[in-house]
Amino acid sequence: MTAILTLLTPVAAYHSVYMLLAVRIVEGVFEGVTFPCIHAIWARWAPVYERSRMATIAYAGNYAGTVGKTGFIAAIPYLVMGSLLGISGYLADWSQVKGYLTTSQVRKYFNCGAFLGQTVFMMLAAYLLDPTGTVASITVAVGLGAFAWSGFIVNPLDLAPNHASVILGFSNMIGTIPGIVSPFLTGVITKDRTKEQWQIVFFITSGIYCVGCVIYWFFSSGELQPWATSKEKSLTNLENPTTKNPKEGIKNEAMEMDE
């Protein structure tokens, strides 16, 4: 439905501003359930040590339409991020399978490492402020976000698989607020488009990444939460999901639905 509405956007824009707004609002309603639905699928289907790669690969396609919407130069950072998502997910799962990191460590290291890198490169963009240097810095900063997705975006599947879609729905709702506020705030700050005004924008962005890094490092967890265990299948079943029934063959218990 969102694809159809996107195709209708030029027609709506040609007709009137109000029709354009209506189409975009309806599109947002349908788009809002997409990510939670994906998490609901992975909560049932993805083995514990394949969650990161499955989730990141699924979400990588989210950036495929960026070029057509924004133009190639503006899309470069998101194309880099989309390309790195699969690598990020693979490395996160590999670290767990090999026993190098626990689930909590994977989430914290990938998420906070990415946020710290984004803080640094956004600060660098603030001081360079030339076309090539700024685009390069922003590209690296946004690209590093792919590794953060192996942290916060997969985390609901660790904490409470049966409630992962609800958790992601609420967190994603809150996460869209900066995208709504930032264009307006940027316009207010950069009224005269001076170097100093643009530096303020980049400093604010860097500060948000830094604060997010600190909060996630101290308060995040990758462990199944006690409040979510009543209806969850045991970790033993999820980590070793296959059992053999002589009459039915191989049975994947992670695919079974609760009554």
Side-chain angles (χ1 to χ4, degrees), residues 10-200:
V11 178
Y14 179 79
H15 185 272
S16 70
V17 174
Y18 298 105
M19 182 172 286
L20 173 63
L21 290 175
V23 168
R24 297 298 289 175
I25 289 172
V26 175
E27 184 177 352
V29 171
F30 284 103
E31 188 71 21
V33 301
T34 303
F35 281 16
C37 287
I38 293 175
H39 257 44
I41 293 173
W42 291 147
R44 290 291 181 184
W45 193 81
V48 171
Y49 295 133
E50 295 181 21
R51 287 172 176 169
S52 297
R53 79 187 78 172
M54 288 186 174
T56 52
I57 289 174
Y59 291 125
N62 184 51
Y63 300 100
T66 306
V67 176
K69 292 181 179 180
T70 64
F72 183 74
I73 297 298
I76 288 176
Y78 297 98
L79 291 175
V80 172
M81 181 179 177
S83 301
L84 290 176
L85 276 170
I87 297 174
S88 165
Y90 175 82
L91 290 176
D93 287 336
W94 177 80
S95 299
Q96 289 180 270
V97 171
K98 291 295 185 179
Y100 298 141
L101 299 173
T102 65
T103 301
S104 292
Q105 289 172 333
V106 165
R107 303 299 174 234
K108 290 186 178 185
Y109 291 169
F110 275 69
N111 197 93
C112 296
F115 278 10
L116 281 177
Q118 290 175 306
T119 300
V120 171
F121 280 97
M122 281 298 179
M123 290 287 288
L124 184 61
Y127 285 104
L128 291 176
L129 286 181
D130 69 86
T132 302
T134 300
V135 170
S137 297
I138 293 176
T139 298
V140 175
V142 175
L144 287 172
F147 294 91
W149 277 54
S150 287
F152 73 88
I153 203 71
V154 187
N155 212 179
L157 296 172
D158 306 318
L159 302 176
N162 275 4
H163 309 291
S165 58
V166 177
I167 295 173
L168 182 69
F170 277 104
S171 61
N172 201 43
M173 177 183 68
I174 296 172
T176 59
I177 295 176
I180 298 172
V181 175
S182 59
F184 171 76
L185 182 61
T186 300
V188 171
I189 295 173
T190 61
K191 285 183 178 180
D192 303 318
R193 300 184 179 182
T194 64
K195 175 181 178 180
E196 291 73 20
Q197 290 174 344
W198 278 108
Q199 283 180 329
I200 293 173

